Amino acid sequence: ILGPSGSGKSSLMAILSGSGTILNATFVIRYGMRRIARWAYIMQTCVAGVMLVLLLGDLLPPALRFPAFFLWAVSLFFMAGVTFGNLNALALQRMGHIAGMTASIVSAVSTIAATLIAAPVGLLYNGTAIPVVTAALICSALAWYLMRHLDD
């Protein structure tokens, strides 16, 4: 399953991360879109915080650094699978009459915002996972704060 190119790892990550979308479809009726998104951001803030402490404190033995990063990355993509569909649906909720335009604007703003965040994070790369984990921690905490305080 794990070939020399690492494609098995990528496949495993995709399968594990994609399960977030499936679980979201299962739980969205029971718990609601906002609640699921809020809890996903809380959990990612906690997981990224723990990962950052492990990295900054050099608390992981070398043999566990990649597996820990892999698990953290899977949790990040899992959270994306749980939140993105819900957030898009929430953005379109009151815009039925202009849903197409709204979807285009949401997509464009999301892409531009992601680029404005990713470019500086990429420039901060120092051979460790610290910049990307820090960015995920900050973005997840900010998203959780906004979901909590900008609720209807």
Side-chain angles (χ1 to χ4, degrees), residues 3 9-10 23 45 80 83 86 96 103 108 111 137 139 142 146 152:
K9 294 176 194 124
S10 299
L23 285 176
T45 299
T83 58
N86 292 337
T111 301
L137 174 63
C139 290
L142 180 61
L146 291 172
D152 291 347

Side-chain angles (χ1 to χ4, degrees), residues 68-87:
F69 177 78
F70 182 83
L71 290 174
W72 171 78
V74 167
S75 76
L76 186 69
F77 290 117
F78 181 89
M79 185 263 319
V82 170
T83 58
F84 286 2
N86 292 337
L87 296 175

Side-chain angles (χ1 to χ4, degrees), residues 9 51 55 58-71:
K9 294 176 194 124
M51 185 66 177
L55 291 171
D58 200 23
L59 301 173
L60 290 169
L64 293 180
R65 289 182 186 154
F66 179 77
F69 177 78
F70 182 83
L71 290 174

Side-chain angles (χ1 to χ4, degrees), residues 4-43:
S5 67
S7 62
K9 294 176 194 124
S10 299
S11 300
L12 180 61
M13 180 180 274
I15 290 167
L16 293 173
S17 301
S19 65
T21 304
I22 295 166
L23 285 176
N24 181 58
T26 304
F27 292 123
V28 75
I29 300 298
R30 185 181 302 166
Y31 299 111
M33 293 181 286
R34 289 181 190 281
R35 188 173 181 193
I36 290 172
R38 258 186 265 140
W39 277 103
Y41 286 128
I42 289 169
M43 293 305 294

Side-chain angles (χ1 to χ4, degrees), residues 50-134:
V50 169
M51 185 66 177
L52 188 59
V53 167
L54 291 172
L55 291 171
L56 289 174
D58 200 23
L59 301 173
L60 290 169
L64 293 180
R65 289 182 186 154
F66 179 77
F69 177 78
F70 182 83
L71 290 174
W72 171 78
V74 167
S75 76
L76 186 69
F77 290 117
F78 181 89
M79 185 263 319
V82 170
T83 58
F84 286 2
N86 292 337
L87 296 175
N88 284 331
L90 286 169
L92 297 174
Q93 202 169 32
R94 296 189 186 138
M95 302 293 178
H97 60 292
I98 55 169
M101 172 83 71
T102 304
S104 295
I105 292 170
V106 166
S107 179
V109 169
S110 297
T111 301
I112 291 167
T115 302
L116 293 174
I117 293 168
V121 172
L123 291 172
L124 291 172
Y125 180 69
N126 60 0
T128 71
I130 291 172
V132 72
V133 173
T134 302

